[in-house]
């Protein structure tokens, strides 16, 4: 990579491990970068955005894994352990069910309550920092699920109470971060925004997929969560690499403002010329004299076009 390109791609936000520097240095106008941005926006939101909305599918897995079984009395716990495998996907006692309901409520409340905070973070620090925070929380949550499930009978109930709310509060940050792709690529915004919204709702299917792997595939919860952590690491790192930093976002917005000024003012004046200059030939003559001046040349070019000068269509 040339020094100039390396300097242009340097950024104040540390990259998550595994992110691809080559993707970061693809120019924004690159078709490949635009297609990757749309695809990764959908994948990132689907894989980590709204997992807690499918919490019902986790109940049989957590029951079978023995989550919160210590909330039951000794007799109920012993009776639950004596059940055959096909009956272990249901509650052992009411206190266990109550713990699951509380865990679900806290996770869903977190998902709804932090959206405003992530919006402020995107505005103040940029989408890349927003994604960094959200990815760290999501990866930590999935990692804790895998670790706690691997402890078998020595599970720590507090880790369940920490892991799933982390998934809840991380999802909106990923959603808000990928929406910034619509600002970078205005023509793709009608695709990116509804795609992200649909994937945010559709990510509830992820826990259903875990349930199928657990019940039909025979995989343990620890393995399934570890596998999904690997997937989310790859998807999240590549998505992060395509996001703009706060500095780059501000520079892009300033460039857009200048672009608006350069094009709106000439077209406004040109529209007046179209109405008041009587002859297309006269407009064409003015154009030929004003060509060395970029702003006036643009005014006359637009006016010549609308007045019907064939040479400037």
């Amino acid at each position: 990579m040339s020094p100039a390109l390396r300097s242009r791609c340097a950024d104040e936000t540390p990259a998550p491990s595994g992110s691809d520097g080559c993707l970061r240095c693809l120019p924004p106008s690159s078709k490949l970068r635009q297609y990757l941005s749309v695809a990764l926006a959908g994948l990132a939101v689907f894989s980590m955005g709204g997992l807690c909305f499918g919490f019902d599918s986790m109940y049989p897995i957590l029951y079978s894994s023995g989550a919160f079984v210590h909330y039951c009395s000794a007799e109920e716990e012993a009776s639950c352990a004596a059940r055959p495998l096909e009956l272990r996907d249901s509650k052992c006692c009411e206190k266990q069910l109550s713990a699951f309901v509380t865990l679900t409520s806290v996770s869903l409340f977190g998902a709804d309550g932090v959206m405003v905070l992530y919006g402020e973070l995107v505005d103040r620090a940029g989408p890349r920092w927003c994604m960094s925070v959200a990815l760290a929380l999501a990866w930590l949550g999935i990692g804790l699920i895998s670790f706690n499930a691997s402890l078998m009978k020595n599970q720590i109930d507090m880790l369940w109470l920490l892991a799933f709310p982390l998934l809840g509060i991380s999802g909106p940050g990923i959603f808000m971060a990928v929406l910034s792709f619509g600002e970078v690529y205005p023509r793709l915004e009608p695709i990116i925004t509804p795609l992200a919204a649909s994937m945010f709702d559709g990510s509830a299917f992820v826990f259903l997929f875990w349930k199928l792997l657990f019940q039909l595939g025979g995989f343990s919860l620890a393995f399934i969560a570890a596998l999904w952590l690997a997937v989310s690491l790859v998807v999240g790192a590549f998505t992060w690499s395509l996001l703009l930093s706060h500095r780059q976002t501000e520079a892009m917005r300033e460039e857009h403002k200048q672009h608006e000024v350069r094009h709106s003012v000439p077209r406004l004046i040109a529209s007046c010329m179209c109405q008041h200059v009587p002859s297309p030939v006269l407009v064409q003559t003015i154009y030929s004299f004003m060509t060395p001046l970029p702003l006036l040349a643009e005014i006359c070019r637009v006016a010549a076009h609308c007045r019907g000068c064939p040479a400037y269509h």
Side-chain angles (χ1 to χ4, degrees):
M1 184 183 298
S2 67
L5 189 58
R6 187 181 300 110
S7 175
R8 188 181 67 191
C9 295
D11 185 66
E12 68 273 10
T13 310
S17 59
S19 61
D20 190 345
C22 294
L23 291 184
R24 291 180 61 191
C25 295
L26 284 174
S29 59
S30 168
K31 289 292 184 181
L32 176 60
R33 178 163 183 158
Q34 294 181 30
Y35 295 150
L36 284 174
S37 297
V38 174
L40 288 173
L43 287 174
V45 176
F46 177 78
S47 60
M48 295 172 283
L51 302 185
C52 60
F53 296 122
F55 209 106
D56 285 350
S57 299
M58 284 297 295
Y59 281 18
I61 303 177
L62 293 175
Y63 283 139
S64 299
S65 301
F68 299 117
V69 71
H70 303 302
Y71 283 34
C72 303
S73 65
E75 294 79 7
E76 290 172 329
E77 186 175 349
S79 174
C80 188
R83 293 185 302 180
L85 292 176
E86 60 271 14
L87 297 179
R88 291 185 181 179
D89 58 353
S90 58
K91 66 179 181 180
C92 291
C93 63
E94 290 299 325
K95 288 185 178 180
Q96 185 189 34
L97 175 60
S98 178
F100 275 70
V101 173
T102 301
L103 182 60
T104 304
S105 300
V106 171
S107 301
L108 292 175
F109 176 78
D112 293 332
V114 299
M115 188 71 79
V116 175
L117 298 179
Y118 279 119
E120 284 295 316
L121 182 59
V122 169
D123 291 338
R124 295 177 181 272
R128 188 174 286 174
W129 265 112
C130 180
M131 178 65 87
S132 297
V133 172
L135 287 177
L137 295 175
W139 291 340
L140 178 59
I142 300 174
L144 287 177
I145 293 174
S146 179
F147 171 74
N148 206 26
S150 68
L151 297 179
M152 306 298 289
K153 294 182 179 181
N154 298 317
Q155 294 173 8
I156 304 172
D157 293 336
M158 186 55 64
L159 292 184
W160 296 126
L161 295 172
L162 179 62
F164 287 99
L166 282 176
L167 296 182
I169 63 177
S170 65
I174 295 171
F175 176 76
M176 293 296 293
V178 301
L179 287 182
S180 66
F181 284 131
E183 185 179 10
V184 180
Y185 311 114
R187 293 184 179 181
L188 296 179
E189 186 175 10
I191 299 175
I192 293 173
T193 302
L195 175 66
S198 62
M199 290 296 102
F200 190 67
D201 294 333
S203 60
F205 174 79
V206 170
F207 281 165
L208 177 59
F209 180 63
W210 287 24
K211 179 181 176 181
L212 294 176
L213 289 177
F214 183 84
Q215 294 182 337
L216 302 180
F219 298 102
S220 67
L221 176 58
F223 174 80
I224 295 171
L227 177 64
W228 203 257
L229 177 60
V231 172
S232 63
L233 280 168
V234 174
V235 172
F238 278 107
T239 306
W240 183 94
S241 69
L242 293 176
L243 291 169
L244 299 183
S245 67
H246 181 63
R247 182 182 60 207
Q248 292 169 328
T249 301
E250 291 299 315
M252 178 196 67
R253 289 172 179 171
E254 183 62 28
E255 184 179 348
H256 286 175
K257 289 180 182 178
Q258 295 177 1
H259 183 271
E260 287 291 327
V261 171
R262 286 198 303 267
H263 288 78
S264 60
V265 174
R267 292 183 182 279
L268 179 62
I269 301 175
S271 65
C272 296
M273 292 180 64
C274 288
Q275 296 176 12
H276 300 293
V277 177
S279 170
V281 177
L282 180 57
V283 174
Q284 186 170 348
T285 303
I286 296 174
Y287 179 89
S288 63
F289 281 104
M290 296 300 181
T291 298
L293 304 176
L295 180 62
L296 295 178
E298 175 64 14
I299 293 173
C300 296
R301 186 193 67 77
V302 175
H305 174 81
C306 80
R307 292 293 295 172
C309 303
Y312 299 96
H313 274 210

